[in-house]
Amino acid sequence: MGIFGGTFDPPHLGHLVAASEAAMRCELDEVVFVPAGDPWQKNHRAITDAADRLAMTRLAVEPDPRFRVSTCDIDRPGHTYAIDTVADVRAEYGSQIDLYFIIGADSLENLRTWHRVDELCEAVKFIAVNRPGHSRREVDVSFGIEVEFVDAPGVAVSSSECRRRVADAEPIRYLVPDSVDGYIAEHGLYRS
């Protein structure tokens, strides 16, 4: 099982492609998307309300039977840490299941700064999805993590770019699922 945590503000096609490639290449039975409750590394900017991010994530993953959404990070008070997410998913699925934590390959560069990283590295294997413009040769994995690199088709889209485009009254169709685009418009999200 893959765990794909993130702010998902909003979820976009790059997230879905990364999860799909990780599932296919690493033979995962399921990928659990876990929207962050209070992401400790995003304290420098305002985050869209958790209920909206959760609703958009559910809409985004709904068409794929391999994907589901967990509310464990939103339900837990305080900062969102990967080690707690893993513990919650492990409690739900049991100790016999192999857990993989899906991240962008560029996130491996700052993995050492993550909360209780040594415990996290013992609890999961990592799937690092290579992003456009990033080379896995630049990533130092010498500190003892199990990581499988997955090259995904280049989808040059980011949540921050989607938010900026909406604020500037530019379309995000084809960058996010149609259902997410409709939700953003209906709820007036990201407008300046």
Side-chain angles (χ1 to χ4, degrees), residues 92-167:
E92 183 177 347
Y93 284 90
S95 61
Q96 300 305 311
I97 196 159
D98 289 330
L99 291 180
Y100 293 82
F101 204 85
I102 302 168
I103 60 176
D106 55 326
S107 294
L108 286 177
E109 295 171 1
N110 70 354
L111 188 64
R112 290 183 189 191
T113 68
W114 289 22
H115 183 68
R116 294 169 44 198
V117 67
D118 292 335
E119 292 174 56
L120 180 63
C121 291
E122 290 176 16
V124 297
K125 297 172 187 163
F126 288 89
I127 299 172
V129 180
N130 208 31
R131 293 180 148 177
H134 187 270
S135 170
R136 70 177 71 169
R137 288 185 295 273
E138 300 168 6
V139 177
D140 175 16
V141 293
S142 63
F143 62 101
I145 65 169
E146 285 189 60
V147 61
E148 185 165 342
F149 286 93
V150 171
D151 289 322
V155 179
V157 60
S158 69
S159 294
S160 58
E161 176 68 7
C162 291
R163 292 190 305 272
R164 185 206 57 80
R165 290 182 65 86
V166 172

Side-chain angles (χ1 to χ4, degrees), residues 1-5 31-32 34 85-86 89 99-103 124:
M1 167 168 300
I3 300 172
F4 194 6
V31 175
V32 180
V34 186
T85 305
V86 169
V89 172
L99 291 180
Y100 293 82
F101 204 85
I102 302 168
I103 60 176
V124 297

